[in-house]
Amino acid sequence: MECKGRSSWFVVLAVLWASASWAITSPLKATIIDRYGNQHQVDKFTFQGRQDLEIYIQDQRKLMPLEKVARLRFEGERGDEEQRIVLVLRNGSEEKAVMQTGSSSSPHQDAVGGGSSGRRFAGVTTLGPFSILASDVREIVLRHPVGELPPADKILKASIITTEGKRFEVEDLLFRGKQRLDFFRGRNKRFIPLAKVERIDFQDGAIGEEFRPITATYWTGKTVMGTVEASTVRLSGETDRSYFERVNKAFTGESGSGPFGIGMHAVRHIRFQKDKSAAEMETGEESALEK
Amino acid sequence: MALRRGHNQARKWLLTGALIAIFAVIGGCASTSSSSGRSYGPPLIPEGKGRLMIQAGGINEVNFYVIDEETGEEVHAESPRTSGSSPIGYESGSRSMPQFVDLDPGKYLVVVNTDIDDSVEKEIEVVMGQDVYVSIPVGRFQVIFSDSQGRSQVPFLIYDYNLRTMLGRGMTSTEVRYFIVPVGEYKVRIENSPTGLDEIRPVQVSMGQTQNILIGPPPSPAQPGEGGTEAGQP
């Protein structure tokens, strides 16, 4: 009797599990136009299973989320290893970049296993699974949900005070090309969204240590503590360029006199300026609450 | 005639009995918990919660954490793997089940840390009493470095395919050790100035596949008289 009860419970649970579970896939839809002019309407659109593109803008590597892109045009030839692309973003701006599209379709002779079949866009059409080599694509038009606003891009303004006491007013501040600061809490990597932070204070690490303790204070008053990598030691295998960028361009932006870059070892404080529109919105909310 | 009918009746009863016994055995085996209290599958979802299942192409051990999108607070974290550049890291075994976590219903951001600077993030919505499978596009590779002494530990760097940006560091191991990175193409570089070694290898990482990069001289074939009794035979 007990066994019967058990088995019936199992059947009920199995049915529930089968009907209730689902997989999170890409919600993106796109129209892909190949080099022959054929159009393909694709759902669950991804690039190599990812929802971002690895591109180079002015020789700087950047991961561009597909949800920010409205249109993508390839301007190179099919056989090119890397092609010039034109990205039309959802906020209306246009970016010219370079993207790897060809080559590497066969693994190195010393590689065992793995291997890829080239860089591909993939998705699902009404006829079934769909994939196309990036080198065969001429244009991609992404179809985002009607009425959905594109992710807002804030331009961060901040005052950076160096360990030598110098002060720089910087606009469009980024940490290694992103609007977030990667840090370690113990041995666990976490991030701080720079748009939500009021200030970051950097303390001195012990002599010879590669990490510096930091304290970040959010606009909400919350504080987060951790450590950031601030090594100035050159690693074996590091190229001149990557060493220079790692050590001297942790934070980048635009200052009054031109492009700005500073290493993690040289920063003492970062004070962010509150976005005017956000401040106005907050004061508006407060006054509405008072009424 | 009556004897044959009796025979058939008995056979029918026997068959029915056998079928009931088989179903009972299957029902017993299908139970998720045994008398010893050990479970053979994921436990039931607790009341009022939903379940997030991490699908990382067969990799059942990734470092990940979950942030509540409403409050911005971290609600769950798991870090079973050591850093890629740690000299003590190696694969200690394989978990049979993917990682999962039971969460209150709501919207969350799942962040999977990899062995390079790029992490993989997915926004999800957990619904009460239901499983949500999150597909994480990561793959893994292994760098096997050997010298005259056999496999050894050497540091290496992970670059993007163009060798423009250094994305992370790693350390080879004498044991089996995989490095988890987002799906894509990379290059690894091992440089040792005193020995004049400078190797750059492309790495192609696909979801659910593992690539082994062999650097160093190939293992020499067994010489006569080494290991085995065949060499001693005339």
Side-chain angles (χ1 to χ4, degrees), chain A:
Chain A
M1 191 69 183
E2 199 181 335
C3 267
K4 200 177 170 187
R6 266 186 190 176
S7 53
S8 58
W9 265 110
F10 169 73
V11 171
V12 169
L13 285 172
V15 169
L16 277 174
W17 177 80
S19 61
S21 56
W22 75 92
I24 296 284
T25 50
S26 168
L28 293 168
K29 296 178 180 182
T31 302
I32 299 176
I33 302 155
D34 65 22
R35 287 183 182 272
Y36 299 107
N38 303 314
Q39 283 194 19
H40 309 273
Q41 307 296 333
V42 176
D43 288 359
K44 298 178 182 174
F45 176 69
T46 60
F47 176 61
Q48 293 188 304
R50 294 167 62 168
Q51 288 172 42
D52 51 31
L53 298 171
E54 185 188 34
I55 57 171
Y56 294 85
I57 297 173
Q58 291 174 352
D59 239 14
Q60 177 99 26
R61 180 177 181 268
K62 195 169 182 181
L63 294 176
M64 176 67 73
L66 286 171
E67 63 172 359
K68 285 187 178 177
V69 180
R71 188 179 280 263
L72 172 66
R73 195 168 64 249
F74 291 86
E75 298 201 325
E77 295 301 316
R78 175 186 275 169
D80 293 348
E81 189 174 56
E82 56 180 31
Q83 290 192 44
R84 275 170 54 83
I85 59 168
V86 178
L87 291 153
V88 180
L89 303 180
R90 289 172 71 189
N91 61 12
S93 63
E94 200 174 278
E95 296 269 18
K96 285 184 179 160
V98 171
M99 183 178 158
Q100 286 279 328
T101 53
S103 77
S104 66
S105 55
S106 59
H108 189 271
Q109 58 181 6
D110 290 340
V112 180
S116 69
S117 50
R119 294 164 191 264
R120 288 171 181 274
F121 291 99
V124 177
T125 67
T126 49
L127 299 172
F130 174 86
S131 75
I132 186 168
L133 284 170
S135 53
D136 288 336
V137 176
R138 172 59 71 197
E139 193 166 359
I140 294 171
V141 182
L142 283 123
R143 303 196 307 274
H144 299 279
V146 180
E148 186 194 87
L149 292 171
D153 276 329
K154 281 185 182 173
I155 293 176
L156 297 173
K157 292 178 186 172
S159 305
I160 293 183
I161 297 116
T162 68
T163 48
E164 294 167 349
K166 290 178 185 169
R167 184 189 177 107
F168 297 94
E169 298 298 328
V170 182
E171 206 166 293
D172 197 12
L173 186 72
L174 299 172
F175 170 71
R176 301 204 192 284
K178 294 177 283 190
Q179 270 193 1
R180 56 168 64 176
L181 172 65
D182 291 329
F183 73 105
F184 289 89
R185 195 185 289 154
R187 65 182 183 88
N188 301 319
K189 196 168 87 175
R190 297 288 183 266
F191 70 86
I192 297 166
L194 295 179
K196 293 184 178 176
V197 175
E198 181 197 351
R199 66 171 195 268
I200 305 173
D201 299 317
F202 296 75
Q203 289 145 41
D204 288 330
I207 294 168
E209 286 219 354
E210 297 185 344
F211 289 89
R212 291 182 71 187
I214 60 157
T215 305
T217 309
Y218 283 62
W219 289 108
T220 55
K222 184 176 90 169
T223 57
V224 171
M225 296 173 82
T227 55
V228 288
E229 198 174 358
S231 169
T232 55
V233 177
R234 184 167 179 152
L235 305 166
S236 69
E238 204 166 14
T239 58
D240 292 348
R241 181 196 160 121
S242 65
Y243 172 71
F244 182 83
E245 284 190 354
R246 180 172 63 83
V247 173
N248 298 311
K249 287 188 173 179
F251 289 100
T252 54
E254 291 288 328
S255 68
S257 55
F260 174 85
I262 192 167
M264 190 63 88
H265 63 282
V267 185
R268 173 70 69 194
H269 304 288
I270 301 178
R271 299 275 181 274
F272 290 89
Q273 292 166 24
K274 203 162 196 179
D275 189 21
K276 272 183 187 173
S277 57
E280 279 168 11
M281 273 177 71
E282 272 184 22
T283 49
E285 279 171 13
E286 277 170 16
S287 57
L289 280 171
E290 279 168 13
K291 280 176 190 175

Side-chain angles (χ1 to χ4, degrees), chain A residues 17 22 24 50 56 61 100 104 110 112 114-116 119 180 187-190 229 237-239, chain B residues 74 79 81 113 118 121 130-131 133 159-160 162 169 183 185 189 191 201 204 209-210 212 214:
Chain A
W17 177 80
W22 75 92
I24 296 284
R50 294 167 62 168
Y56 294 85
R61 180 177 181 268
Q100 286 279 328
S104 66
D110 290 340
V112 180
S116 69
R119 294 164 191 264
R180 56 168 64 176
R187 65 182 183 88
N188 301 319
K189 196 168 87 175
R190 297 288 183 266
E229 198 174 358
E238 204 166 14
T239 58
Chain B
E74 185 179 309
S79 303
R81 300 184 76 249
N113 284 332
D118 301 341
E121 293 167 19
Q130 297 189 1
D131 292 319
Y133 285 83
Y159 280 92
D160 57 348
N162 296 336
R169 295 187 244 175
V183 167
E185 285 160 1
R189 185 177 189 189
E191 188 193 26
R201 293 279 193 280
Q204 294 154 352
Q209 294 187 344
T210 303
N212 297 308
L214 310 172

Side-chain angles (χ1 to χ4, degrees), chain B residues 104-175:
Chain B
D104 291 327
K107 288 187 175 176
Y108 297 92
L109 179 71
V110 183
V111 185
V112 175
N113 284 332
T114 65
D115 288 322
I116 60 173
D117 291 344
D118 301 341
S119 51
V120 179
E121 293 167 19
K122 286 277 169 88
E123 285 179 359
I124 59 152
E125 185 169 2
V126 173
V127 182
M128 194 190 294
Q130 297 189 1
D131 292 319
V132 184
Y133 285 83
V134 186
S135 179
I136 307 293
V138 290
R140 54 188 169 177
F141 70 91
Q142 182 179 202
V143 180
I144 301 169
F145 181 82
S146 47
D147 52 20
S148 56
Q149 308 294 319
R151 285 176 68 163
S152 60
Q153 277 193 308
V154 287
F156 66 90
L157 300 180
I158 307 169
Y159 280 92
D160 57 348
Y161 190 77
N162 296 336
L163 277 172
R164 283 180 183 150
T165 312
M166 193 194 83
L167 302 174
R169 295 187 244 175
M171 176 78 85
T172 64
S173 174
T174 53
E175 312 289 332

Side-chain angles (χ1 to χ4, degrees), chain B:
Chain B
M1 193 72 177
L3 196 68
R4 185 178 277 179
R5 195 178 293 163
H7 248 282
N8 283 344
Q9 202 84 10
R11 268 173 63 181
K12 271 184 190 171
W13 278 111
L14 266 173
L15 267 172
T16 316
L19 276 172
I20 289 169
I22 288 165
F23 277 118
V25 168
I26 290 171
C29 294
S31 169
T32 52
S33 59
S34 67
S35 55
S36 63
R38 278 168 50 194
S39 59
Y40 293 101
L44 296 176
I45 301 171
E47 200 174 336
K49 301 228 173 198
R51 177 163 294 165
L52 158 69
M53 303 279 281
I54 303 282
Q55 283 192 315
I59 304 169
N60 290 338
E61 220 167 47
V62 291
N63 294 346
F64 77 99
Y65 58 100
V66 184
I67 296 171
D68 188 333
E69 289 213 319
E70 209 167 283
T71 61
E73 294 295 326
E74 185 179 309
V75 292
H76 181 81
E78 280 183 35
S79 303
R81 300 184 76 249
T82 55
S83 156
S85 56
S86 165
I88 57 165
Y90 61 89
E91 302 299 315
S92 56
S94 60
R95 290 163 57 129
S96 56
M97 271 200 319
Q99 287 163 289
F100 65 88
V101 52
D102 296 322
L103 299 163
D104 291 327
K107 288 187 175 176
Y108 297 92
L109 179 71
V110 183
V111 185
V112 175
N113 284 332
T114 65
D115 288 322
I116 60 173
D117 291 344
D118 301 341
S119 51
V120 179
E121 293 167 19
K122 286 277 169 88
E123 285 179 359
I124 59 152
E125 185 169 2
V126 173
V127 182
M128 194 190 294
Q130 297 189 1
D131 292 319
V132 184
Y133 285 83
V134 186
S135 179
I136 307 293
V138 290
R140 54 188 169 177
F141 70 91
Q142 182 179 202
V143 180
I144 301 169
F145 181 82
S146 47
D147 52 20
S148 56
Q149 308 294 319
R151 285 176 68 163
S152 60
Q153 277 193 308
V154 287
F156 66 90
L157 300 180
I158 307 169
Y159 280 92
D160 57 348
Y161 190 77
N162 296 336
L163 277 172
R164 283 180 183 150
T165 312
M166 193 194 83
L167 302 174
R169 295 187 244 175
M171 176 78 85
T172 64
S173 174
T174 53
E175 312 289 332
V176 175
R177 184 179 196 184
Y178 295 114
F179 299 91
I180 295 174
V181 290
V183 167
E185 285 160 1
Y186 304 91
K187 284 208 173 102
V188 295
R189 185 177 189 189
I190 291 183
E191 188 193 26
N192 189 351
S193 306
T195 61
L197 174 80
D198 188 2
E199 300 278 354
I200 298 171
R201 293 279 193 280
V203 182
Q204 294 154 352
V205 178
S206 309
M207 193 168 173
Q209 294 187 344
T210 303
Q211 190 168 68
N212 297 308
I213 310 295
L214 310 172
I215 299 179
S220 56
Q223 298 296 313
E226 277 183 8
T229 52
E230 283 175 25
Q233 288 172 0

